[in-house]
Every structure is written in C-alpha cells, then in structure tokens.
Amino acid sequence: MMLWMAQQTLLLSLVCGGLLLSHRLLQQHLGAHKTYHLWLAIPALLISSAIMALLPSPFSAVQAEQLAHYSVMASKAIASVKSTDYAEILLFIWLIGVGSMFCLLLLQAIGLKRILRTAKPVEHQQATLPTFQHPSVQSPMLVGIRNAKILLPANFNRLSDDEQHSIIAHEQYHHQRRDLISNLLAYLVLTLFWFNPLCWLAYRRFRDDQELSCDAHVTRALSKQQKISYSQVLLAYSQQAHHGLLHTHYGNKNILKERIMQMKTSQKGQSGLAIIGLTICLGLSGLLLNQQVQAGAHEHNDIHPLTRVEPKYPIQAAKAHQSGFVQLKFDISPSGAVSNVSVIESSPEAIFDKSAVTALKQWRYKESAKGLEGAKVQLDFMIEPPATDVERIKVTP
C-alpha cells in the first residue's frame, strides 16, 4: 500500500505541478473548457495504475530474476534488520489524515441536510431542477448528487430577469455536466493524497477551472450589457461565499478578477472529439508513466527481507572445516511470510540443507500487493570470510 502511494504521489506531483505551472498558457491557447477537462489526467493516471496492478506485469519476470540473485553484505548484522517499522507509523499517520478528511465531508453533508430541511421551495419558470431559498445561503449553489436541487439566497428575487436566468443556467450546466460527481471524486483523490501540498493546490485550481468553464458556457451568447450584469452578480455573491465540498460555489472571490476578465475575451468552444482525443492521450500517458515507475521500482528490489534469521552452522561440518552453499527456492505471501521452501542445489549435498531451510522459513519479507512465487536465494556456509567485493550471507560456525 505504502509503495503504491509513493509511486502515485510522484506521478501526481508531476502532473499537478505541470498543469499548475502552465495554467495561464493553457487558458490562453485552449480556452476554459479544454483546460478544465485537462484535469482528467488525474483519474486517468490512477485508473492506469490500477490496470497495471491487475494485469500481468511485463516486469514480473525481471523482478523474480533479480530476487534470484539477492544477497547481502556479510558484515550486516541480523539484529540491525529488526529496526523500527516506520512503514506502520506512516500508515497510522496517513489513516488519521484520511479519517479527518472523511469527517469534514460528513460534517458538510449534515449541514446541507439541515439547510434543505428548512429551505423554502420556490418556482422559477426557467429552472428544470427543484429550486429552494434559505436565509443562511449566501450564494447560489447546486446540491445533491442523486436528487439535484438549486439553493438560492433570500435576495435572489431582487435580481433582474436576465441576472436570474444566467444564474439558473450556470447551476443547471453544473448538473448537466455532472460536476458534483466530479467534485466528489476529486475530493476522494485529495483524501488519499492529503499529505501532498500539490494535490491541495490542484484541487482548488480544478474547482476554480470548473467555474470558469461554466461562466464561458453561460456568457458565450450574452450581450456586452448582459455580461456586465453577470459580472455585477458575481461581485455581489462572491463576498460571503464559502468553498463547499458537496456543492458548487457560484461566488468565488479568489478568482473573481479572472472570471470577469475572461468575459472580455472570446472563448473557444468545447469540441467533443477534441475532449475524447485528449482523454485518450492522457490515459496512454498515464499508462506509460506507470510502466516507467514500476520498472524503476523493480530495479530496486521492492520485495526485500525485513528480518533474516542466520542458519546454525552444523557442529560436525564446523569440526571438519567444511564450507559449502545451499540454493533455495521459496514463495513469499503478500504479508511477507515465507512458504514452500525447497532445495535446488547444495554442496556438499545434504550437509547444510536442514539448517538453511529451517532458517529461511523464519525470514520475513516486506509486504506487497501480490507477493512472489519462485523466489531464490543462495546461502553460503564458510569457515573463512569471503572476499570483500562479494555480497553474500555469511554463516559462521
């Protein structure tokens, strides 16, 4: 689990950092719609990682071969391997963060339900979704993934018909595009990688791009005066609007200037074929990146022993000054336990076999997703120490 998190954190940091750094150029050359859809790179990356984990990996044979030649320096003491398990500590800290994120989501869900219970239903001739008003709502918002509703502030009726129409169209476009589902998925990704500051910046930028895209859709057919009115409404509702996890945030003072400036420029439309092509490219890029990371990870022997038990040197062999080796084959479970130990070759035959097998069964390997079958190791039993340039397990009498 921790290995997967480390791999994905590296890749997500590269993607998020690239999108954040190039955001202004992307907005200028691609427009608000396509820039918003570029965030599909994040789920494409994670989905490709899951595909790589489920499908047989082309690097599995390389991993087994590398483990077949696994050895350690003779100078390494067995006791030094049994050190503090920092992986468990990190996992505990990560779980605390995940739990806190889910608690925050739950509290917002409870708050929205409380508002909806006391909200007053209103009718609007241009609204296709149920519409409600509540005095505690400071900015128009879309709520409800299964039963979507539009929540409006108490002063909504004071707006002109054009202003009301643009706000309703804005929230209904959120619903048409299933933005609430996208927001929930984005928050779940953020929950998994809460420890990565780039993910927080990317999440906020994603939500802002979502609003810019909706603005571009609603204002593309408005006249200059109507756009001015739309800007004034944005200004009014952005002063007290809050960033919500389970609803859209029509007013957003953090990017208010950006939203108003966008209306002065001609926006590029969103092409279905362009978005599909972009999604495919992002998915293939994610698969390629995951292949490179997995290949690099295998090169560093991800499945390695955490605890090694040194075999007992047979007394009779020590008295006879006999040296030798035992080549062993075994399986490693996902939990790191060793099983199915068998002797491939030994010299002298049957002298050191029992001691080597007994010790190897007590080894403990690092936890992994699938474990490993057919791992191999050679244990060298030597009276004299080996050459200094050879890595091996030294078994002393």
Side-chain angles (χ1 to χ4, degrees):
M1 176 65 180
M2 299 305 296
L3 173 62
W4 184 87
M5 293 293 294
Q7 292 174 351
Q8 303 314 307
T9 297
L10 174 61
L11 296 176
L12 284 179
S13 297
L14 291 174
V15 174
C16 292
L19 290 175
L20 290 170
L21 290 174
S22 60
H23 184 266
R24 181 172 295 182
L25 290 176
L26 292 173
Q27 284 277 57
Q28 291 176 356
H29 296 284
L30 298 181
H33 290 298
K34 293 186 180 68
T35 301
Y36 171 64
H37 284 93
L38 275 175
W39 293 106
L40 287 170
I42 305 300
L45 192 63
L46 296 177
I47 291 173
S48 68
S49 176
I51 292 174
M52 291 297 297
L54 293 174
L55 294 178
S57 174
F59 302 105
S60 58
V62 176
Q63 184 183 26
E65 182 65 21
Q66 289 174 342
L67 284 176
H69 295 281
Y70 178 83
S71 59
V72 296
M73 292 295 297
S75 60
K76 290 185 177 180
I78 301 302
S80 66
V81 182
K82 298 181 180 180
S83 56
T84 304
D85 194 348
Y86 293 104
E88 290 187 2
I89 297 175
L90 292 175
L91 179 61
F92 180 71
I93 296 174
W94 176 76
L95 288 174
I96 291 177
V98 170
S100 301
M101 296 289 286
F102 275 114
C103 287
L104 180 60
L105 190 67
L106 180 62
L107 288 175
Q108 291 214 10
I110 294 173
L112 283 177
K113 283 188 176 182
R114 186 181 297 116
I115 290 176
L116 287 172
R117 281 198 299 266
T118 56
K120 178 183 177 181
V122 295
E123 292 185 3
H124 195 279
Q125 60 181 1
Q126 294 170 329
T128 59
L129 294 174
T131 308
F132 296 83
Q133 280 184 315
H134 196 277
S136 65
V137 174
Q138 304 299 326
S139 176
M141 62 180 69
L142 177 72
V143 299
I145 293 178
R146 288 189 300 176
N147 300 312
K149 305 174 183 63
I150 297 176
L151 276 177
L152 301 170
N155 61 353
F156 179 77
N157 295 332
R158 301 176 188 173
L159 302 177
S160 67
D161 291 341
D162 287 341
E163 292 171 340
Q164 291 183 15
H165 171 70
S166 62
I167 290 176
I168 295 296
H170 182 102
E171 300 305 328
Q172 290 188 154
Y173 186 62
H174 274 305
H175 174 67
Q176 176 186 338
R177 204 169 53 180
R178 301 294 187 266
D179 281 345
L180 288 180
I181 297 177
S182 300
N183 293 345
L184 181 60
L185 292 176
Y187 186 76
L188 291 179
V189 173
L190 182 63
T191 299
L192 290 176
F193 300 94
W194 61 265
F195 52 86
N196 190 336
L198 279 177
C199 288
W200 286 91
L201 294 175
Y203 174 75
R204 180 57 66 96
R205 185 68 257 182
F206 161 78
R207 294 295 301 270
D208 291 344
D209 283 347
Q210 187 179 91
E211 296 305 318
L212 288 170
S213 178
C214 277
D215 289 342
H217 172 79
V218 173
T219 61
R220 72 182 190 275
L222 298 183
S223 65
K224 181 178 180 180
Q225 185 58 43
Q226 288 174 327
K227 288 182 179 180
I228 293 175
S229 299
Y230 188 85
S231 301
Q232 292 173 343
V233 174
L234 283 179
L235 179 62
Y237 283 136
S238 295
Q239 302 307 309
Q240 297 176 316
H242 298 287
H243 191 96
L245 303 177
L246 294 172
H247 61 79
T248 58
H249 51 292
Y250 177 82
N252 185 352
K253 60 183 178 182
N254 295 324
I255 60 165
L256 179 60
K257 181 179 178 181
E258 188 177 354
R259 295 176 73 175
I260 293 176
M261 292 300 295
Q262 176 183 253
M263 297 179 203
K264 297 181 179 180
T265 60
S266 58
Q267 284 293 318
K268 299 175 176 64
Q270 57 173 334
S271 167
L273 290 176
I275 292 174
I276 293 174
L278 184 61
T279 305
I280 294 175
C281 291
L282 292 173
L284 292 176
S285 300
L287 282 171
L288 179 60
L289 286 172
N290 273 285
Q291 285 181 344
Q292 293 173 344
V293 168
Q294 290 193 13
H298 291 316
E299 289 174 359
H300 290 84
N301 290 331
D302 289 326
I303 303 180
H304 60 268
L306 298 176
T307 302
R308 297 189 298 272
V309 176
E310 184 175 303
K312 294 181 179 179
Y313 210 105
I315 297 177
Q316 295 300 324
K319 290 180 179 180
H321 290 273
Q322 281 186 310
S323 298
F325 69 89
V326 181
Q327 291 181 353
L328 300 162
K329 184 178 180 180
F330 58 100
D331 296 336
I332 304 171
S333 69
S335 64
V338 173
S339 61
N340 301 325
V341 180
S342 61
V343 177
I344 303 173
E345 182 181 355
S346 63
S347 178
E349 188 174 352
I351 298 296
F352 304 103
D353 296 14
K354 183 178 179 180
S355 177
V357 171
T358 301
L360 184 57
K361 286 181 178 179
Q362 301 176 64
W363 285 24
R364 193 75 182 182
Y365 277 75
K366 182 180 179 180
E367 294 183 4
S368 59
K370 298 182 180 180
L372 185 65
E373 295 183 359
K376 299 175 185 178
V377 70
Q378 177 172 317
L379 303 181
D380 292 321
F381 290 75
M382 304 187 69
I383 297 296
E384 299 294 333
T388 57
D389 59 344
V390 177
E391 290 186 357
R392 61 183 70 218
I393 296 177
K394 179 184 176 183
V395 182
T396 56

